Amino acid sequence: MPKQWFMEYNVPPHFVRTAASLALPLLMNSQTLPAQTSQPQAPTAAQSELVVVVRHAEKGTDDPVDPTLSAAGVKRAEALAVALANADVDAIVTTQFKRALATAAPLATKLAIKPTVLAVKRGETAAHIAEVVAAVHAARAAGKGTILVIGHSNTVPLIVKALSGIAVPNICESQHANLYLLALGVSDKLPSRLVQSSYGDADPPVATDCK
């Protein structure tokens, strides 16, 4: 049975690291976990292996339905742009919500990237995950570099699992700092690998009722 790689690595607040610099040394020294799903589609030599998945930054209170970012969220979005500035990102996938679009905006502006916006509707999570996976594979097939995916607390773990076959813990409402760096596998001998990291200010302590 193929193996999956997983390692958790916490970057101190304000400490700048690019996804590319995290990938090689950490993925080479990670622990193995059993594969939980079939391997993702095999890429050609020209396809990118690297996908970064994050949750949107902290949301504001300006709109109960579709809020934009709070001051802390704006700061985190800017931190994401700094962290990934040299990571060869040239494709961004996000949802239509203001908080997700605003999280993508600093990096998209810096790199002159037009994000791919995928609408997600209540009760259609599974369809949305499939659409995100299809968009990632389309970007890889087009020869894109590193791909950034911005999701939500209920979709990020599902996106990571769907792309790599690696399960990660649920994200609590107070958590926004998680950064998942995936090196997507191409075969049983080259399985998917994951570095779980963080960026920007550290999250507050997790509530005891968060599971």
Side-chain angles (χ1 to χ4, degrees), residues 136-160:
V136 168
H137 285 308
R140 297 175 73 202
K144 298 295 185 180
T146 302
I147 302 160
L148 171 64
V149 178
I150 298 173
H152 299 259
S153 59
N154 65 321
T155 63
V156 165
L158 297 176
I159 291 169
V160 172

Side-chain angles (χ1 to χ4, degrees), residues 182-205:
L182 303 174
L184 299 186
V186 297
S187 69
D188 288 355
K189 292 183 178 180
L190 292 172
S192 295
R193 293 155 290 167
L194 166 67
V195 172
Q196 181 175 337
S197 184
S198 60
Y199 74 99
D201 290 343
D203 285 325

Side-chain angles (χ1 to χ4, degrees), residues 4-202:
Q4 302 289 356
W5 293 79
F6 174 85
M7 181 173 182
E8 182 172 355
Y9 187 88
N10 292 317
V11 178
H14 309 298
F15 190 81
V16 177
R17 285 184 182 270
T18 66
S21 66
L22 282 168
L24 294 179
L26 294 176
L27 292 174
M28 291 174 64
N29 295 284
S30 51
Q31 298 177 335
T32 60
L33 288 180
Q36 299 179 40
T37 64
S38 59
Q39 292 296 319
Q41 297 175 9
T44 66
Q47 289 179 323
S48 169
E49 289 186 359
L50 295 181
V51 181
V52 177
V53 185
V54 299
R55 182 193 180 190
H56 65 78
E58 290 89 335
K59 60 186 177 182
T61 58
D62 54 318
D63 185 336
V65 176
D66 189 12
T68 187
L69 298 181
S70 66
V74 171
K75 182 179 178 182
R76 188 175 301 283
E78 293 170 348
L80 182 64
V82 172
L84 300 182
N86 299 310
D88 192 31
V89 174
D90 64 2
I92 300 174
V93 179
T94 180
T95 69
Q96 82 279 21
F97 292 107
K98 292 177 183 176
R99 55 193 181 275
L101 294 169
T103 302
L107 184 64
T109 299
K110 184 181 185 70
L111 301 180
I113 297 172
K114 182 179 180 180
T116 297
V117 180
L118 302 178
V120 56
K121 298 178 182 179
R122 185 181 298 275
E124 298 182 7
T125 302
H128 174 68
I129 301 303
E131 192 174 15
V132 170
V133 171
V136 168
H137 285 308
R140 297 175 73 202
K144 298 295 185 180
T146 302
I147 302 160
L148 171 64
V149 178
I150 298 173
H152 299 259
S153 59
N154 65 321
T155 63
V156 165
L158 297 176
I159 291 169
V160 172
K161 179 70 176 296
L163 285 170
S164 68
I166 302 173
V168 297
N170 292 333
I171 296 176
C172 300
E173 180 58 32
S174 62
Q175 293 179 305
H176 297 85
N178 290 337
L179 182 150
Y180 303 93
L181 174 60
L182 303 174
L184 299 186
V186 297
S187 69
D188 288 355
K189 292 183 178 180
L190 292 172
S192 295
R193 293 155 290 167
L194 166 67
V195 172
Q196 181 175 337
S197 184
S198 60
Y199 74 99
D201 290 343

